[in-house]
Amino acid sequence: MRAMKPKYLMNSLQRRFLPSSAYQSEWDEETVPSWFHHELSDLHHQKREKQAKLHMTLPASCAQALQTHGIWIKHNALPREFFRRLKFEAFDYFVGQRDRNKRLLSNWHNAQSFTLPLNYTHLLRQPFLQSAITDELIPPPLQYAAGRKGKPMYQLEAMAQCAPAFRFETDGNSTPPFEIEHDARAPGATALLFLETITPEDGALFYIPGSHRMTEQRIFWEYQRHIDLAEIDEEEESPITGLSDLQELDLPPLLPLNVQANTLLIWDRTGFHGRLPSTNNSQNAHTAHRLALRADLSTKSSARSN
């Protein structure tokens, strides 16, 4: 068993035996150390300052949605004929790469999703894919959501219609049947341009509107998570964020997203997001995948987060 540092032990005891309401008021150094509070609040303050400079590059509705909710949804993102040709090229490229890559082929039946990197110089026979990763449709709102004017990393993502690991099987414990993702200590943003419709049976994506805001309550919650990570043994798995954590933060319910083909989603990864379990039990559900063009942009992480 790894020995706990005195400051971790004290905070762990306070968290376990004192009322939780004591930590949901204004911050003080007795509940969250100043170094942790300052690093996290400064990181997100810098992000907001950068967003203010990028605000004028976006339509007002886009900037408002990302600022207020942390997510922006654009339906019919591309002209119909351009989208049709882009989809054809993407599927042709994906099938060719999959059949030539033994690793992808071996994981085909088990993966919940996997990605193929997209590089401009490798897409000489895919002019519409080339255009999609050099166009200005995705970068400006993605840069705003991430708070960084950088170059996105593009991938082709294949999402399984039915993922075995995401079924409702908890083995008698409180482990959630699906993963809730978030990253406050290395803020960034993700964009997905869906080439196919994602039905609720396939496993709907979700995002909790407003959960990207770095409130005092969220900072305290992040610190408790930091303590939990320090307490576990090296052999143990990291704690999983569950529905009880969302209730603790007084967040609204999960928002399943209605995703049609040619829909563009861009979200702030500080917010809580993920994918609900699939209920697709069709015979080919484990081998059929939905494709999307993915772009990611990350910012500088907290110095102590690694």
Side-chain angles (χ1 to χ4, degrees), residues 9-10 18 24 31 46 61 70 78-79 90 99 101 106 112 123 149 151 156 201 239 244 253 259-260 271 299:
L9 177 61
M10 180 60 67
L18 293 182
Q24 296 177 2
T31 58
Q46 295 169 9
S61 59
L78 295 173
D99 293 345
N101 190 316
S106 65
Q112 187 261 336
L123 298 174
K149 193 171 178 61
K151 185 177 181 180
L156 197 59
E201 291 77 19
S244 59
V259 180
Q260 302 293 322
T299 60

Side-chain angles (χ1 to χ4, degrees), residues 147-162:
R148 176 193 172 199
K149 193 171 178 61
K151 185 177 181 180
M153 180 181 68
Y154 288 93
Q155 298 172 312
L156 197 59
E157 180 169 3
M159 293 170 283
Q161 289 180 250
C162 184

Side-chain angles (χ1 to χ4, degrees), residues 52 54 135 149 163 186 226 257 283 285:
L54 297 171
D135 190 77
K149 193 171 178 61
H226 171 78
L257 302 173
Q283 187 174 3

Side-chain angles (χ1 to χ4, degrees), residues 4-12 14 33 35 223 226-227 304:
M4 290 180 59
K5 297 181 181 179
K7 66 175 183 178
Y8 292 159
L9 177 61
M10 180 60 67
N11 280 279
S12 178
Q14 288 177 335
W35 67 263
Y223 180 64
H226 171 78
I227 293 299
R304 301 194 185 218

Side-chain angles (χ1 to χ4, degrees), residues 79-282:
R80 181 177 300 179
E81 182 60 20
F82 185 96
F83 176 77
R84 186 185 69 81
R85 297 192 180 194
L86 172 66
K87 179 178 177 179
F88 175 82
E89 285 189 358
F91 271 84
D92 183 64
Y93 181 78
F94 170 74
V95 171
Q97 293 295 314
R98 183 200 66 194
D99 293 345
R100 286 193 293 268
N101 190 316
K102 294 182 179 180
R103 180 182 61 82
L104 286 181
L105 196 59
S106 65
N107 293 333
W108 177 253
H109 292 276
N110 300 318
Q112 187 261 336
S113 70
F114 52 82
T115 56
L116 295 172
L118 293 177
N119 186 296
Y120 182 86
T121 58
H122 295 162
L123 298 174
L124 299 179
R125 297 183 180 180
Q126 292 83 19
F128 287 87
L129 264 178
Q130 275 189 336
S131 178
I133 68 174
T134 56
D135 190 77
E136 287 301 302
L137 171 67
I138 292 177
L142 188 68
Q143 291 168 352
Y144 179 87
R148 176 193 172 199
K149 193 171 178 61
K151 185 177 181 180
M153 180 181 68
Y154 288 93
Q155 298 172 312
L156 197 59
E157 180 169 3
M159 293 170 283
Q161 289 180 250
C162 184
F166 275 42
R167 291 177 179 174
F168 283 104
E169 297 176 358
T170 59
D171 299 326
N173 57 34
S174 58
T175 302
F178 55 91
E179 184 176 2
I180 301 176
E181 302 178 30
H182 54 89
D183 197 346
R185 304 190 69 189
T190 294
L192 283 176
L193 175 62
F194 290 88
L195 303 180
E196 294 182 278
T197 296
I198 305 293
T199 67
E201 291 77 19
D202 295 331
L205 301 173
F206 67 84
Y207 193 90
I208 301 182
S211 61
H212 65 299
R213 300 190 188 96
M214 195 48 51
T215 62
E216 294 295 334
Q217 189 176 11
R218 175 68 181 272
I219 292 177
F220 170 74
W221 183 86
E222 291 287 347
Y223 180 64
Q224 296 309 313
R225 182 176 175 81
H226 171 78
I227 293 299
D228 290 339
L229 289 171
E231 290 179 357
I232 63 174
D233 293 330
E234 294 182 358
E235 298 80 12
E236 296 177 346
E237 295 183 358
S238 300
I240 298 176
T241 301
L243 296 176
S244 59
D245 293 291
L246 307 184
Q247 296 171 352
E248 181 182 341
L249 287 165
D250 299 324
L251 292 172
L254 301 180
L255 174 65
L257 302 173
N258 179 25
V259 180
Q260 302 293 322
N262 201 12
T263 295
L264 174 64
L265 296 182
I266 294 180
W267 67 86
D268 184 334
R269 292 202 301 264
T270 301
F272 293 87
H273 60 279
R275 183 181 174 193
L276 294 174
S278 171
T279 58
N280 192 337
N281 295 318
S282 61

